[in-house]
Amino acid sequence: MNFPLQHRKKIKSLSSAAGFTIIEMITIVSIFAAIASIVLVNRNDFNSSVTTENVAQDIALVIRESQAKAVSGVTDGFFAGETKPSWGVRFNSNDTEFIHFADLNNNGRYNSVGGCEAGLSNECRDQITLPGNYEIGDICGIS
């Protein structure tokens, strides 16, 4: 297609003005790299705090489950006594697990005869292992 000379100059000037210079591209790439490095450096801290929060929520959930079972008098289908069992959670300091139990003889303590592998005839209902490098350090009670 043949354009008049004045139109050719306009088309040529428009095509040479479009696009980015190399300086603009380097600036954009360096800004993107700086933002990406900040995000990647903070990612591990974020993941660690989320995992810690999840572990704390899991522990609180088991404690709340024990409270609800104790109040409602859940017998777990195995307890045959006239009184309902107490429910509890046993923590050992410097340990990576804790135990959810039904106090079948209502002595206010966890009797660990046979461990959780012994089935429902034992007081242990669930042995929960903490993920990763988490362990129970200190236990404090508020009255």
Side-chain angles (χ1 to χ4, degrees), residues 23-37:
I23 300 296
E24 291 171 330
M25 290 301 291
I26 290 173
T27 304
I28 290 170
V29 168
S30 62
I31 290 171
F32 179 74
I35 291 172
S37 65

Side-chain angles (χ1 to χ4, degrees), residues 59 90-98 127-130 132-140:
I59 292 171
R90 175 171 176 128
F91 295 97
N92 293 325
S93 61
N94 298 324
D95 204 356
T96 59
E97 58 192 27
F98 60 98
Q127 189 168 354
I128 298 103
T129 302
L130 300 176
N133 295 326
Y134 289 94
E135 67 179 32
I136 299 164
D138 291 325
I139 301 169
C140 65

Side-chain angles (χ1 to χ4, degrees), residues 7-17:
H7 290 301
R8 282 189 219 161
K9 286 184 182 180
K10 285 183 183 178
I11 292 172
K12 191 173 186 182
S13 67
L14 286 176
S15 65
S16 65

Side-chain angles (χ1 to χ4, degrees), residues 54-104:
N54 286 342
V55 168
Q57 290 293 329
D58 288 345
I59 292 171
L61 184 64
V62 172
I63 292 171
R64 181 65 184 118
E65 181 182 359
S66 291
Q67 290 174 336
K69 286 182 175 182
V71 168
S72 66
V74 172
T75 62
D76 216 3
F78 190 81
F79 189 68
E82 290 191 20
T83 59
K84 305 291 185 189
S86 299
W87 289 85
V89 180
R90 175 171 176 128
F91 295 97
N92 293 325
S93 61
N94 298 324
D95 204 356
T96 59
E97 58 192 27
F98 60 98
I99 297 171
H100 180 219
F101 68 94
D103 187 11
L104 298 178

